[in-house]
Amino acid sequence: MSISKNLSNLNNSLEDSVKLVAVSKTKSNQQIMEAYNNGQRVFGENKVQELSAKHEVLPKDIEWHMIGHLQRNKVKYIAGFVKLIHSVDNIKLLKEINRQALKYNLTINCLIQVKIASEETKFGMSKEEVKNMLDSQVFKELKNVSIVGLMGMASFTNNQEILKKEFSFLNTFFKELSKSYSTMKILSMGMSDDYKLAIENGSNMIRLGSSIFGSRN
Ligand SMILES: *Cc1c(COP(=O)(O)O)cnc(C)c1O
């Protein structure tokens, strides 16, 4: 099916309370523009270089999200324009985001990536690490970043029980933190294969690539 058909089917089925991030990694500017021309404004990329290159040439009202693992030395390339960083997984990275944001006199919105999958390869912090970070003096002094929520990536499995357990774990933690941190509004979880289950378990931001643009090679 076409990108526009996929998008309109999705938009018809999603509640307004769920924000759709179109994951455009590896996709061409032309494909992105097809989504754009059908009203999509929020796009996610997982590589700094690709994100910057696309931001450079595509319409300026696109909201670009960084969804992939971010290295400290690359923050400077996206700090001036990125709308949301989904993948903060350590305080040193957050400090660097703050430092770059200050240069532009901006506040950069960030999500903390929490490790919910059992696989070794997935990035993210543990619950304890998140709490310790938020309680630290170092964190409290960062004035140019705002932690607006949490992000998680579930295990690479079709097992609905495992997925449900991982999503509901993050949802519970999100609700707990929201009580003490009023800026925590976003729960980013769910990809093409598991977004329905993620929404059932509290997600209000889904990151979809292949179900919009077709499979990546
Ligand atoms: C690629 C990617 C997605 C989208 O994956 P699909 O299965 O194509 O929907 C979502 N989140 C992150 C972090 C990704 O890297």
Side-chain angles (χ1 to χ4, degrees), residues 155-171:
S155 291
F156 187 67
T157 177
N158 284 325
N159 186 318
Q160 301 295 296
E161 282 310 308
I162 294 176
L163 292 170
K164 187 174 156 49
K165 217 159 112 189
E166 294 174 355
F167 287 142
S168 83
F169 166 82
L170 191 57
N171 189 29

Side-chain angles (χ1 to χ4, degrees), residues 59-142:
K60 291 298 174 244
D61 63 340
I62 288 180
E63 281 184 32
W64 290 105
H65 290 193
M66 175 62 190
I67 62 170
H69 184 65
L70 179 57
Q71 286 172 305
R72 250 180 295 156
N73 61 354
K74 294 194 174 158
V75 174
K76 56 178 176 283
Y77 300 115
I78 61 170
F81 68 87
V82 72
K83 278 286 173 307
L84 182 63
I85 297 174
H86 288 233
S87 44
V88 171
D89 63 357
N90 64 81
I91 185 80
K92 284 183 171 174
L93 173 60
L94 198 58
K95 276 174 77 173
E96 175 60 11
I97 296 169
N98 188 76
R99 201 170 74 91
Q100 295 299 333
L102 189 58
K103 285 192 188 169
Y104 292 94
N105 196 22
L106 290 169
T107 301
I108 297 182
N109 289 331
C110 297
L111 306 179
I112 301 172
Q113 184 170 355
V114 180
K115 185 174 154 72
I116 57 173
S118 44
E119 293 140 37
E120 265 316 305
T121 54
K122 296 266 159 69
F123 295 103
M125 301 176 85
S126 71
K127 236 166 101 165
E128 280 313 304
E129 287 170 333
V130 173
K131 285 187 188 167
N132 289 338
M133 182 171 85
L134 295 176
D135 281 342
S136 70
Q137 197 51 39
V138 177
F139 172 74
K140 287 172 187 151
E141 283 162 13
L142 303 179

Side-chain angles (χ1 to χ4, degrees), residues 23 25 46 67 151 153 191-193 207-210 216:
V23 176
K25 62 191 186 195
N46 70 339
I67 62 170
M151 183 272 237
M153 283 175 88
M191 307 178 17
S192 292
D193 291 335
R207 310 175 309 269
L208 305 189
S210 46
R216 291 176 298 274

